Amino acid sequence: MDKLKELADLMFPNVTKTIEDYEKMYPERNLSDGARVTRFAPSPTGFVHMGSLLSAFEDFKAAKDTNGVFYLRIEDTDQKRSVENGIVGILNDLKNFDIIPDEGMIDEENSIGEYGPYIQSERMEIYHTFCKDLVLCGLAYPCFCTPSELDEIREIQELNKERIGYYGSFAKCRSLTVDEAIEKIKNGEDFVVRLKSPGDFNNKITLHDEVRGDIEFPENDLDIVLIKSTDKLPTYHFAHLVDDHLMRTTHVMRGEEWIASYPIHAQLFEIFNFKKPNYAHLGLVMKIDEEGTRRKLSKRKDKEASVEFYHKEGIPTEAVKLYLMTIANSNFEEWLDNNPDKDLSEFKMDFKKISASGSLFDVEKLMNISKNYLSKRSAEEIYDNLLIWAEEFDLEFYNILKNNKEYAINIFNIERETEKPRKDYTSYKSIKNFVFYMFDEYFTCPLYEFMKITDKEEIELILNTYYDNYLDLSDKDTWFSKVKEMCDTLGYASNIKEYKKNPELFKGNVSDVATVLRVALTSKTNTPDLYEIMKLLGKNKIKERFTKCIESLK
Ligand code: GLU
């Protein structure tokens, strides 16, 4: 025992605390029954892509559904994956989607919460304390194997068709005596710290995965690395044990790539006699590409994989959240259909309804959700949010909107705030395309697309007759009866049914005439309510536009 203590002290000369000290510092959380403690644990890469946003969202939701705690832990033990200001970037992305951690890092240096530090590079002493304890019990040892020695072991295993890894008789440093190990350290030899796995590959263990159900594995017998040599930082496995235990995580939701490591994690928790968290292994976010193949959504190839894309497109975060929930839980869409006015927070996420095979990301569907969502917003809300978007991405439009607030809100209010609101805007960015003609700034050289009536003289006749004798905007009924009255005078059917019975008796019908008015005023054949448009444009502008149209036909 004394020898082991000498070895442990040599390996971890700076450890001053014990595991018990940390247990006291980070007591069990005082939460109500069933409250989940979840975490999002990214490397500080500066941004979140859609796949990790989905898992952050699921983590957040899993905690919020139960009045639990959701925290952000920065996993920076792999220095290659760290970038400058990498934490702030992640926080901003999360904030954009209202995913606000209850605890964890709040900028590059600071954190909130009682279970920190929430960044792994600042937890060295804690990892070392836990690892030292293992060395003292003879359950961890220093390994001095060089990369070429490890290659050699692998080559032998490959040659003999044996399982690859550092285990059993292949684990050379396992059999060093404590004295030998002490001597090597004293000689300044580099070492990693390995687990002395007590497992037997022939035993079976079971993971009760929240998403996938029971999965059986052979017990771990690999002497995996716990602490790396160069920087003395922990491996993922060891940090997972220490952090998720001390931060009192109840549900570890993580990518499916970690499933295979479960036997290692289960073993570590058992060795320390810690309660294992529940695990939910999440599938990848997939997409069907142009060739029709299903593949992983790629940061490099797919613009929709970056969170920035939604921001630039002006897709409301609420819509993205609804979409994320749709792909997270297969029963959400039905719930939403049945509860169109309820808030997302009222839906309870169900692990059993998370797809194990991964979620399919479908931009078209997202746009549809966005369209639905936008159709239900008030004109003022549209105005306010569009203004925020335009200030960043379309300054000209921003200024126009800013200087014409009431007019703009009235435009957005056409066929809105009714029982069956118009569904046209798919994003804030798309709105300009739907309303540009309401602003002279964008109506400089319109491309008129007439439909049935294309004869220049006939168009001129309709526009002039209408303006001179039938333009009446006092109310919608009067307005429409005037249009019909003009139709009768000019030889167009004011009644569609009659027209259908005897089309040969007429030059066309009221809708053909209305199209001429519509196109002259907006250049489009399809717009929201023409009366509302005319009322907003007002008589002067109507005159101007008719003249402009007639001119363009000459
Ligand atoms: N840093 C790990 C990753 O990004 C976290 C996995 C986990 O959630 O445990 O894959």
Side-chain angles (χ1 to χ4, degrees), residues 4-17 124-136 140-142 185 191-194 226-228 232-234 238:
L4 273 179
K5 179 148 185 347
E6 188 184 340
L7 175 64
D9 283 344
L10 263 179
M11 290 167 75
F12 298 103
N14 300 322
V15 167
T16 54
K17 293 200 176 69
M124 288 284 265
E125 206 190 325
I126 310 181
Y127 303 124
H128 288 183
T129 305
F130 277 66
C131 198
K132 185 170 186 177
D133 193 77
L134 282 185
V135 176
L136 283 169
Y141 62 90
I185 293 177
F191 63 91
V192 297
V193 186
R194 284 188 186 271
L226 303 172
I227 301 284
K228 297 182 269 185
K232 300 291 172 213
L233 282 167
F238 197 55

Side-chain angles (χ1 to χ4, degrees), residues 39 41-43 73 75 81 236 244 252-254 257-258:
R39 82 290 193 278
S43 303
R73 180 171 73 223
E75 307 218 321
R81 298 187 64 199
Y236 169 80
D244 284 313
V252 170
M253 301 166 70
R254 61 183 181 188
E257 66 274 21
W258 296 112

Side-chain angles (χ1 to χ4, degrees), residues 7 226 273 285 293 295 391 426 433 443:
L7 175 64
L226 303 172
N273 205 13
V285 175
T293 29
R295 63 163 170 79
E391 186 170 17
T426 49
N433 252 336
F443 203 73

Side-chain angles (χ1 to χ4, degrees), residues 308-363:
E308 190 55 19
F309 167 75
Y310 303 89
H311 189 52
K312 277 196 191 135
E313 284 298 306
I315 300 169
T317 51
E318 278 303 322
V320 179
K321 285 198 290 184
L322 290 175
Y323 181 62
L324 289 181
M325 202 64 243
T326 307
I327 54 176
N329 255 197
S330 52
N331 55 332
F332 176 68
E333 238 177 321
E334 197 187 329
W335 179 89
L336 191 63
D337 282 346
N338 295 332
N339 304 281
D341 300 317
K342 283 204 179 146
D343 190 81
L344 181 58
S345 59
E346 292 180 62
F347 174 78
K348 299 281 174 247
M349 194 175 75
D350 180 353
F351 285 109
K352 298 276 168 306
K353 295 275 179 347
I354 294 180
S355 156
S357 60
S359 339
L360 202 55
F361 200 84
D362 176 354
V363 179

